[in-house]
Amino acid sequence: MSTLEIRGLKVSVDTENGPVEILKGVDLTIKSGETHAIMGPNGSGKSTLAYSIAGHPKYQITGGTVTLDGVDFGEVKSAMAALSMDPSFAERNVNEGFSGGEKKRHEIMQLELLKPKIAILDETDSGLDVDALRIVSEGVVRAKADNDLGVLLITHYTRILRYIKPDFVHVFADGRIVEEGGPELAEKLEANGYAEYVSK
């Protein structure tokens, strides 16, 4: 049983006008076998969450913690330093040269082969046609069943949730989780959109 724990996460990005805070205190716990969907409008900070957990150098963690089974994610950078690896390697694209659909299929193949404890899938449904979406989703469901995988699924749309059923749905707006619920919350978002959260 593994646990990804995000506590009070604050993240900024440098701009021409100085640092801008994108994440404003995110709390989220994902355990083995659970599927969490993060939904929200463009610019709400969903992808920033994925990038900052992955250690992308563009995103500066200014507060809070991210731990996997009690181990702080900041240890990735210290491990790279100990091996004299160029930090820019953390930015290198793994699946360079593939089309969108090929890239997504390859990522899911890696998921099934590498058997991670937790998978963070950022807009996996983006750019996929109906057949590719089904194939990719089936791969995620298979990996989850085979490896008791915990899944953090970031998406704009509910269509992928027809294939990958979430246990929990979190609504992101203005860098925070503003509402949480079960699969019924995704249905509410499908019917009503994000307007009520954007105006908050």
Side-chain angles (χ1 to χ4, degrees):
M1 172 72 93
S2 289
T3 303
L4 177 67
E5 196 155 12
I6 302 165
R7 285 287 162 266
L9 186 64
K10 294 185 177 183
V11 173
S12 292
V13 63
D14 285 329
T15 70
E16 292 174 0
N17 301 322
V20 173
E21 189 174 56
I22 307 291
L23 299 186
K24 302 174 181 178
V26 175
D27 295 307
L28 188 61
T29 302
I30 300 157
K31 297 181 180 176
S32 296
E34 295 179 350
T35 297
H36 293 251
I38 291 192
M39 304 185 70
N42 285 333
S44 61
K46 303 183 305 295
S47 291
T48 297
L49 178 64
Y51 282 124
S52 55
I53 292 171
H56 194 295
K58 178 182 171 186
Y59 300 90
Q60 304 301 316
I61 294 177
T62 57
T65 58
V66 180
T67 58
L68 178 62
D69 298 334
V71 177
D72 194 290
F73 265 55
E75 290 189 13
V76 171
K77 288 179 183 167
S78 45
M80 288 181 77
L83 292 168
S84 301
M85 287 179 71
D86 185 330
S88 68
F89 283 12
E91 299 177 56
R92 182 178 288 179
N93 287 333
V94 177
N95 299 316
E96 198 71 60
F98 290 145
S99 71
E102 288 169 339
K103 190 178 288 188
K104 299 294 168 66
R105 284 185 170 104
H106 199 245
E107 287 169 355
I108 301 310
M109 183 186 78
Q110 291 165 347
L111 188 68
E112 293 192 76
L113 291 174
L114 296 173
K115 301 179 177 14
K117 298 173 180 180
I118 305 285
I120 300 168
L121 306 174
D122 185 19
E123 298 187 22
T124 297
D125 49 349
S126 175
L128 296 183
D129 62 30
V130 175
D131 292 329
L133 176 64
R134 181 181 48 77
I135 290 165
V136 164
S137 298
E138 285 171 355
V140 174
V141 170
R142 220 174 19 250
K144 182 183 175 188
D146 291 348
N147 306 316
D148 199 28
L149 180 66
V151 177
L152 175 59
L153 179 65
I154 297 168
T155 184
H156 288 291
Y157 307 108
T158 55
R159 67 179 190 150
I160 195 169
L161 303 182
R162 294 180 196 133
Y163 300 99
I164 304 171
K165 303 289 186 198
D167 301 300
F168 306 95
V169 175
H170 311 271
V171 181
F172 241 64
D174 193 29
R176 291 186 179 86
I177 294 172
V178 293
E179 188 170 350
E180 298 178 294
E184 73 287 346
L185 180 52
E187 293 168 21
K188 175 186 164 190
L189 294 171
E190 176 77 11
N192 303 332
Y194 298 115
E196 71 175 280
Y197 303 105
V198 174
S199 60
K200 282 185 179 178

